[in-house]
Amino acid sequence: DQQVKQNSPSLSVQEGRISILNCDYTNSMFDYFLWYKKYPAEGPTFLISISSIKDKNEDGRFTVFLNKSAKHLSLHIVPSQPGDSAVYFCAATPGGGDGLTFGKGTHLIIQP
Amino acid sequence: DVKVTQSSRYLVKRTGEKVFLECVQDMDHENMFWYRQDPGLGLRLIYFSYDVKMKEKGDIPEGYSVSREKKERFSLILESASTNQTSMYLCATTGGLSSGNTIYFGEGSWLTVV
């Protein structure tokens, strides 16, 4: 059973526009959510996170929204830049230093 | 900055060989993890460790073992490599709540089993 789902394997967005990546989860024990960005042949790098006590967290061009009742979170990138082309992984954890549960990733392609 | 170093970036091994993947972190973190990443399957947890000499199975431990003799070092062992273990392997560490539950990854090790 997949506890963290990213239903779009890929997403293509024009440079300068908004990119919206979606993630759904099923485990109500998840308390902390993170987004990672991964370039080919490199390890994932941490991008932004949100605690379940919040519904929004913003860091520069990146904003993560959390809807706990719908068990849904999304990552907004505004404006999208060519360097944003990468695979984005959504991850969740109950907290306490346990391993993260990852989604399968969404490949974001920014078109010029 | 947290530094997670994986000793080998690219390896080619033969079926049946014993393979060691080494990982070292410099942040004195207790928690360390081994994931593998495959296209369309995302990141899957193989094993993790909460402390020296402690290990816990993740989601896909079959065919793997681990060793944590020192706090900073976590090794992944393929006792008898098989072609379905061709993958990108990622070591990670976290300080837990003190680091905001953020996991930090190494650069990855590409293993090809022929």
Side-chain angles (χ1 to χ4, degrees), chain A:
Chain A
D1 180 35
Q2 202 180 341
Q3 297 187 62
V4 178
K5 299 177 186 178
Q6 293 176 256
N7 291 320
S8 299
S10 67
L11 175 68
S12 186
V13 175
Q14 201 166 9
E15 182 179 355
R17 299 284 184 107
I18 182 171
S19 295
I20 300 176
L21 295 94
N22 293 303
C23 178
D24 297 291
Y25 63 97
T26 57
N27 189 341
S28 57
M29 297 300 291
F30 287 146
D31 202 39
Y32 202 80
F33 305 89
L34 306 92
W35 284 94
Y36 283 80
K37 175 180 178 179
K38 185 183 181 300
Y39 293 118
E42 293 183 13
T45 54
F46 170 71
L47 196 56
I48 193 169
S49 63
I50 188 166
S51 164
S52 60
I53 61 173
K54 292 187 172 183
D55 54 18
K56 177 183 174 182
N57 189 25
E58 195 171 348
D59 183 3
R61 295 185 299 114
F62 303 92
T63 304
V64 56
F65 295 92
L66 175 63
N67 183 334
K68 276 197 74 177
S69 60
K71 293 192 175 66
H72 176 84
L73 64 154
S74 60
L75 174 69
H76 292 212
I77 306 173
V78 183
S80 300
Q81 298 175 354
D84 296 331
S85 293
V87 177
Y88 289 79
F89 290 99
C90 170
T93 176
D98 290 344
L100 300 176
T101 301
F102 286 87
K104 293 185 176 181
T106 297
H107 185 194
L108 176 64
I109 302 160
I110 305 301
Q111 295 180 331

Side-chain angles (χ1 to χ4, degrees), chain B residues 11-67:
Chain B
L11 306 94
V12 180
K13 298 291 182 182
R14 292 190 182 279
T15 300
E17 274 193 81
K18 191 168 186 176
V19 183
F20 291 87
L21 298 178
E22 305 284 345
C23 175
V24 177
Q25 51 102 355
D26 67 353
M27 287 302 292
D28 200 36
H29 285 169
E30 289 169 347
N31 305 328
M32 295 188 75
F33 309 85
W34 275 105
Y35 288 87
R36 63 178 279 180
Q37 191 221 347
D38 301 287
L41 296 177
L43 294 160
R44 295 181 293 168
L45 181 63
I46 305 171
Y47 264 98
F48 60 103
S49 169
Y50 286 129
D51 205 346
V52 175
K53 305 234 186 253
M54 292 182 66
K55 59 184 180 184
E56 296 285 342
K57 292 180 180 179
D59 299 319
I60 51 163
E62 295 79 21
Y64 303 94
S65 63
V66 290
S67 173

